[in-house]
Amino acid sequence: GAGVSQSPSNKVTEKGKDVELRCDPISGHTALYWYRQRLGQGLEFLIYFQGNSAPDKSGLPSDRFSAERTGESVSTLTIQRTQQEDSAVYLCASSFPGDRGYGYTFGSGTRLTVV
Amino acid sequence: SQQGEEDPQALSIQEGENATMNCSYKTSINNLQWYRQNSGRGLVHLILIRSNEREKHSGRLRVTLDTSKKSSSLLITASRAADTASYFCATGLYSGGGADGLTFGKGTHLIIQP
């Protein structure tokens, strides 16, 4: 597709359950990023993938969060044993490697609500 | 910790007026980018300015960068109701390779009154 696709767009889950969020980046974008945005707040960096290099996981808030990416395609962000503070919009973005001046292309996000 | 901090946090102006938002950051950067977000969803990339540039234009947008003051401004001229959105600045530390995650500020919420 032409843009970054995220699914589901909305997810309501019970506290303690696991959730899996999916991101399909733009073809050719080797860099992929996950961010979290709580209501009324800025974007919080979670994890960064670049090609086949080891991902930068420095932003993951706890060991309940993990992410995988298969090659240079789909990525999944998994949150285990969800807590209410995990409620947020999870945004995925992709870009060309390095600085080509185009910035990031964001998906529409997954709005996660933990009840 | 936040790298970019936008100012003001909220701005309300009349349609047709110019809107100016500012961004300050703390460390040396390779580039600074501005994004728009409608309705709390995906962000749209507006413009990127590199550390060796001072001013850049794109349509009704004008961005300035002052690396000595570690600050940037985004000017939207002749504002329209459709410009109502949150605007974020983001700083890029690297020109390529390595951890290239942009650091975003908390945003300026702009409201254009018809």
Side-chain angles (χ1 to χ4, degrees):
Chain A
V4 176
S5 177
Q6 288 189 248
S7 61
S9 57
N10 288 284
K11 176 72 177 178
V12 180
T13 189
E14 291 182 352
K15 178 181 173 181
K17 295 282 180 70
D18 297 352
V19 294
E20 193 172 275
L21 313 180
R22 177 186 169 107
C23 173
D24 278 281
I26 290 174
S27 178
H29 281 191
T30 59
L32 186 146
Y33 315 82
W34 283 97
Y35 286 84
R36 177 171 71 178
Q37 186 179 30
R38 292 197 167 107
L39 187 64
Q41 299 297 309
L43 275 69
E44 179 186 356
F45 169 74
L46 297 177
I47 190 168
Y48 159 68
F49 295 91
Q50 172 55 58
N52 293 318
S53 303
D56 176 2
K57 303 179 181 180
S58 60
L60 294 179
S62 77
D63 59 9
R64 295 187 297 105
F65 288 72
S66 63
E68 292 184 349
R69 187 181 186 194
T70 306
E72 295 180 354
S73 60
V74 171
S75 175
T76 55
L77 175 68
T78 301
I79 308 173
Q80 295 178 309
R81 304 181 303 282
T82 52
Q83 304 294 313
Q84 288 186 329
E85 64 261 27
D86 299 335
S87 295
V89 175
Y90 289 82
L91 292 162
C92 174
S94 68
S95 74
F96 289 112
D99 171 21
R100 300 192 191 183
Y102 300 124
Y104 291 6
T105 302
F106 279 84
S108 295
T110 294
R111 185 180 301 279
L112 176 66
T113 304
V114 181
V115 297
Chain B
S1 62
Q2 298 294 130
Q3 162 74 315
E5 293 285 347
E6 292 89 346
D7 168 60
Q9 290 186 351
L11 178 62
S12 180
I13 61 173
Q14 294 295 123
E15 194 167 20
E17 295 180 339
N18 296 341
T20 300
M21 288 158 275
N22 302 296
C23 171
S24 59
Y25 57 92
K26 298 185 177 110
T27 66
S28 295
I29 60 172
N30 172 270
N31 64 81
L32 186 144
Q33 306 179 29
W34 285 91
Y35 287 80
R36 183 185 72 224
Q37 184 180 40
N38 292 86
S39 305
R41 286 295 193 156
L43 281 72
V44 174
H45 179 253
L46 297 176
I47 198 165
L48 179 151
I49 187 166
R50 301 181 196 282
S51 59
N52 61 352
E53 297 175 308
R54 291 297 166 258
E55 187 171 311
K56 207 160 183 179
H57 297 253
S58 177
R60 294 184 296 113
L61 305 180
R62 182 169 78 94
V63 170
T64 63
L65 179 65
D66 187 334
T67 53
S68 66
K69 294 181 180 177
K70 291 187 169 58
S71 67
S72 173
S73 68
L74 170 67
L75 168 68
I76 304 174
T77 61
S79 62
R80 305 168 181 168
D83 295 330
T84 294
S86 291
Y87 292 82
F88 293 87
C89 71
T91 50
L93 300 182
Y94 306 103
S95 62
D100 202 31
L102 290 177
T103 304
F104 286 79
K106 293 185 178 180
T108 291
H109 185 51
L110 175 65
I111 297 173
I112 308 299
Q113 308 278 4

